Every structure is written in structure tokens, then in C-alpha cells.
Amino acid sequence: MRACQITEQGGDAKSLKISQVPIPDPGPGEILVRNKAAGLNFIDCYHRSGLYPRITPFILGVEGAGTIEKVGANVNVGEFFMETRNAQFKGDLIGTRVGYYGTNTYSEFTVVPYEQAFPVSSELSWNSIVAMVTQGLTAHYLTRSTYKLGPDDWCLIHACAGGTGQSLVQMAKICGSKVIGTCSSTKVDIARSLGVDYCIDYSDTATKVKEITDGKGVQVVYDGVGASTWEMTLDSLCPRGLAVFFGNASGPVPSIDPLILNSKGSLYMTRPKLYDYLADRKELMWRVNQVMDWMETGKLHVNIDKTFKLEDAAQAHEYIESGLTRGKVIITI
């Protein structure tokens, strides 16, 4: 099968090549998915560059969508269809449309633990399914669990017009919260169309946030940018506010002395990741069902920015690292 395999970390986007590798066979508790699409995320770039070390060789990608091709032993069909929203999801697993999170998704086939996959309606396109996995579920746990937004809350969302940022904005508005978003001048139109209450740039951000909030600051900042924004993130918070650092688009956040949090108003800080908010199948399906419901009812719009063929994975990585993205980037397979 065709796959984008990394044999040595540390390369730039141009180092990506497509290889021929054997089709994997599902073991106990696993399913084999024939991929239709894979999502492109910054973590893929971190895996390629070595910022996040992995044992080589490995295939890039952490999310995908396709149909079940083969089922391993000990796959619990009843549990797989547990909590599904649609009566069509019954019976044989073979051929079932699924989305999933895991690894090795830049490939024609991927073996996935069945607990990490979920059935999806034929009403959603492959691209939409992939777009809701990492970015949609990340936005859900950030706004529903890491900090449960409500009508009385102000939040600041950095890179609000990017892929995850767009989902964060829409979910924050579903919660009834007031949203301040940072983005470049070329993306203001996107931010406003999503419902951002105040769109600002990255210059003197904390001062602008304090002016908008009558000097109080926001209850929570969702910061997926990292190195270039962490200081303005802390300075934008109200006393006892929460800084959520969930990404490193500009580089990792440096070590922060706890006394800084003390001096800026007894602040809280967290560095969450998606896997820790998918503790079991019940939690996964709660998030999946709510996100899919919002998508199908028009409350959540997924903007597909660009699609690239698997053979063009290098160009896809160059594009996402350019900072020019205006939504989700998809690799079609």
C-alpha cells in the first residue's frame, strides 16, 4: 500500500516521500480501515521535525476516515455501536463508515483499536468527518471540560480563524460566551463570519483585551500558538483566570516560573491533550455525538480550506507551516 513513512525525524516538509509498505493485519480488538481521507494537523509537523520524538520508522497522521475493511478477533460489535445516534448503525462492521483517531493515517490502510473509531452518518462527507476528529473534538473538550464556558464568560482565542480556532469560536458562541479573537488582517472576515465579538491583532493584545473587558481580563485564554503568544496570554487573564496552552504553532511555550502566575493574579495554567479527554468509549461518543449533531443541524460549520493528494503531502506540510491556512487541510487517499 502507499504510505507517507518517516524513517528519520528532523527533516523539513520537502523530505516527505511516499513509500510502498505492506498492508497491516488487524490483531485482537482492532479493525482495518480503508482510508478515504486523513486530516493534517500541526502535530504531524512536530512528528516529522522531531519536536515530538517517535520511534522510527512510522507513518504520519493522527486522524482519518474510511470504511472498515477487516475485523480482528475480540471486537465487541455491541460496544462499537454503543451510544450511536442513528439506527442505520447496526449489524455487520464490514463496510461501515468510520472516523477515528490514532496513528499511521497518511496511508491507504490503517489498523485502529476499535475503541478509537466511531460510526459516522452517510450525511457527512469524508472531509467533514476528518475535520471533526482532532480539531472538532479538541475544541469540544477545551470548551466543555478544560474550562466549561458559560454565558457569563469572556474568552480569548488565539488564531481564531485557523482550523481549530474556527471550531473553538463556534462552540464558545454555542455556550453563549463572549469571544475576543486574534488573527491576521487577512483573516478578519473569517473571524467575524463565525461570530467573534471583538477581532484584534497580535500587537498590544493584552491592553486591548483589558479595554474590551472594562479592565477585568478574560476568564480563559485558548492558546494554540505558543512561543510568540504565551506572555500576552497571561497578561490578558482576569485574577484566577486559566491559560490553556494546547498547541505550539509558533514553537513550544518555555518553562514558566510559578511565581509569574502568582504575580499576575493567582493564575492557573494547563497543557492538555486530546487523548486524556477521551478516557473511555462513553466519553468519546458523548463528544462525537454532540459535535456531529451541531454539524448536521448547522450550528457548527466546518470550513475545508484545501485538499492535497497523498502524493502531495510535502506541499501540504509547507502550506500549513506557512500560516496561510483558512480552515481544515485534508489529505485525500
Side-chain angles (χ1 to χ4, degrees), residues 1 8 70 92 104 129-130 137 155 191 203 217 252 255 266 287 322:
M1 69 174 184
E8 184 178 358
K70 192 174 181 181
D92 191 5
N104 308 329
I129 295 164
V130 168
L137 296 182
C155 66
S203 63
S255 298
S266 299
R287 299 195 191 282
S322 72

Side-chain angles (χ1 to χ4, degrees), residues 1-2 20-26 32-34 59 69-70 107-111:
M1 69 174 184
R2 294 173 299 131
Q20 285 289 332
V21 301
I23 297 175
D25 202 40
L32 178 68
V33 178
R34 179 187 290 270
I59 297 170
E69 183 82 3
K70 192 174 181 181
S107 59
E108 292 185 276
F109 294 91
T110 301
V111 164

Side-chain angles (χ1 to χ4, degrees), residues 276-291:
D276 292 330
Y277 286 85
L278 301 174
D280 52 33
R281 186 148 190 89
K282 185 174 182 180
E283 184 171 30
L284 168 65
M285 293 311 299
W286 166 56
R287 299 195 191 282
V288 166
N289 287 334
Q290 194 157 57
V291 173

Side-chain angles (χ1 to χ4, degrees), residues 133-174:
V133 180
T134 299
Q135 293 183 347
L137 296 182
T138 293
H140 189 275
Y141 87 72
L142 290 174
T143 56
R144 285 296 191 272
S145 302
T146 304
Y147 184 94
K148 190 174 182 179
L149 286 172
D152 296 328
D153 291 318
W154 279 94
C155 66
L156 171 63
I157 300 172
H158 287 310
C160 67
T164 304
Q166 291 186 29
S167 293
L168 276 170
V169 169
Q170 293 176 84
M171 292 186 196
K173 298 310 294 182
I174 290 171

